[in-house]
Amino acid sequence: MPKRLLKAAVILSVFVLLLGMVRGEYRSKQGAVAQQLEKLNPAINKDISYIDFLTYRVLKNGSARVATLGSSVTKGVGASAPSNTWRALLQSEIRGESRPLQHVTISNHGHSGYTSEKLLRPEVIERVVDSRPDLLILETSVINNYRQNVTLENTEASLEELYSTFKERIPGIEILFISPNPILKTNLTESGLNAIDLTFNDYNQFTKELAAKNGWNYFDTNMYISEEITQRELALEDTLNDKIHPNDLGYDIWFNQLYHKGLTQPNFGQNK
């Protein structure tokens, strides 16, 4: 065989060999992704975490979206900079968790002064729907229900309507209700009672029981923040910018508790 043809044959053989290796590696990676998708599929696995769920959505769709909805403490009022809110801290932590999770974004739909009833306003609903979240973290806004004397009956009706609306409008969405942060009871009166004789804790306990009754996913942010404040021997005032809104420390505690005790734990469908 002429040297020129021999050289061409060798080059072709090497090319075919490399192509086979590339194809084999591609098939191997595809097989690994398929196995991971099956392992993280929430339709067949009930013991996955929210982080697992978001990983599944990224592997399946190329990206995943989270939306946060609630009051001014979801918006981040009280933080020294937008990067110090619990939403921003959460996004940064999630994106650093793994390569797939770099493709997770969290949009903020916090509204100052909004009760759970006001969150039902069409423009609020449409903005959340337009963001097409895979996961909606819905802060109950009961700080404002408490401060604006919304009855427990109306609190229940509005939260149920929020849940049913988003479940209907966004197929496949996961919804996690969370309570807001602890506040100082003296922001209204020394007794902590509002005009209809309810305390802030009454609203938190009511919504926690409502979530359990309806089988909703729920994370008691208020309780976990309070526990960390006690463990660290802090005063509630140390975590607040005023009597209501967290400061940077308060938002850091909020993020830390929600991420580590809410989003990374298995069985995300359980009431916590």
Side-chain angles (χ1 to χ4, degrees):
M1 179 182 293
K3 289 184 177 180
R4 190 182 308 172
L5 290 178
L6 179 61
K7 183 177 181 181
V10 170
I11 292 173
L12 180 61
S13 298
V14 171
F15 175 77
V16 171
L17 178 62
L18 291 175
L19 182 61
M21 291 173 63
V22 169
R23 285 179 173 174
E25 184 178 354
Y26 175 78
R27 285 194 294 269
S28 177
K29 287 183 178 179
Q30 289 297 100
V33 169
Q35 288 181 347
Q36 194 170 12
L37 277 170
E38 183 176 1
K39 179 181 178 182
L40 300 178
N41 188 343
I44 57 178
N45 297 292
K46 302 304 180 184
D47 60 346
I48 64 174
S49 69
Y50 279 110
I51 295 299
D52 293 332
F53 170 72
L54 292 174
T55 302
Y56 172 79
R57 286 295 177 94
V58 171
L59 293 175
K60 188 170 184 288
N61 302 322
S63 65
R65 300 178 180 90
V66 180
T68 58
L69 175 63
S71 64
S72 57
V73 296
T74 290
K75 185 177 182 179
V77 174
S80 63
S83 59
N84 292 325
T85 65
W86 67 266
R87 182 216 65 84
L89 294 168
L90 191 63
Q91 178 174 274
S92 178
E93 186 72 16
I94 289 174
R95 285 179 170 178
E97 180 73 17
S98 68
R99 180 173 293 181
L101 291 175
Q102 292 174 4
H103 301 283
V104 173
T105 56
I106 305 180
S107 58
N108 192 314
H109 303 273
H111 300 274
S112 295
Y114 274 37
T115 64
S116 57
E117 293 178 307
K118 292 177 181 177
L119 294 180
L120 285 164
R121 290 178 175 176
E123 65 272 17
V124 175
I125 298 294
E126 291 306 319
R127 288 192 192 107
V128 175
V129 171
D130 287 346
S131 70
R132 295 180 294 131
D134 299 279
L135 169 63
L136 173 62
I137 301 176
L138 207 168
E139 180 250 311
T140 58
S141 293
V142 292
I143 288 177
N144 292 319
N145 287 32
Y146 160 65
R147 290 174 57 79
Q148 298 178 36
N149 307 306
V150 177
T151 65
L152 295 181
E153 291 76 14
N154 288 345
T155 298
E156 178 176 4
S158 57
L159 291 175
E160 289 181 340
E161 187 172 350
L162 283 166
Y163 182 85
S164 61
T165 297
F166 288 122
K167 277 292 189 179
E168 180 181 339
R169 295 287 304 277
I170 310 174
I173 191 174
E174 287 292 339
I175 300 175
L176 173 64
F177 283 95
I178 67 173
S179 58
N181 57 283
I183 63 175
L184 289 171
K185 69 177 183 179
T186 54
N187 74 89
L188 279 183
T189 63
E190 189 63 33
S191 68
L193 293 171
N194 64 9
I196 54 175
D197 292 327
L198 293 171
T199 67
F200 176 56
N201 286 336
D202 289 334
Y203 285 89
N204 278 319
Q205 186 60 32
F206 177 79
T207 51
K208 184 173 184 176
E209 293 172 358
L210 176 66
K213 182 182 76 171
N214 287 323
W216 298 339
N217 302 350
Y218 182 87
F219 184 78
D220 196 345
T221 320
N222 187 283
M223 180 187 74
Y224 284 112
I225 290 176
S226 297
E227 286 182 355
E228 182 166 338
I229 288 173
T230 300
Q231 290 168 0
R232 295 174 61 174
E233 298 183 346
L234 298 169
L236 178 55
E237 293 89 333
D238 296 332
T239 68
L240 296 175
N241 180 269
D242 49 31
K243 292 185 177 183
I244 297 172
H245 303 96
N247 55 22
D248 289 351
L249 174 60
Y251 280 124
D252 184 69
I253 293 173
W254 183 328
F255 141 73
N256 183 63
Q257 292 295 325
L258 176 60
Y259 180 78
H260 292 288
K261 294 182 180 175
L263 301 189
T264 63
Q265 297 302 307
N267 302 309
F268 66 67
Q270 293 183 357
N271 185 279
K272 297 180 181 179

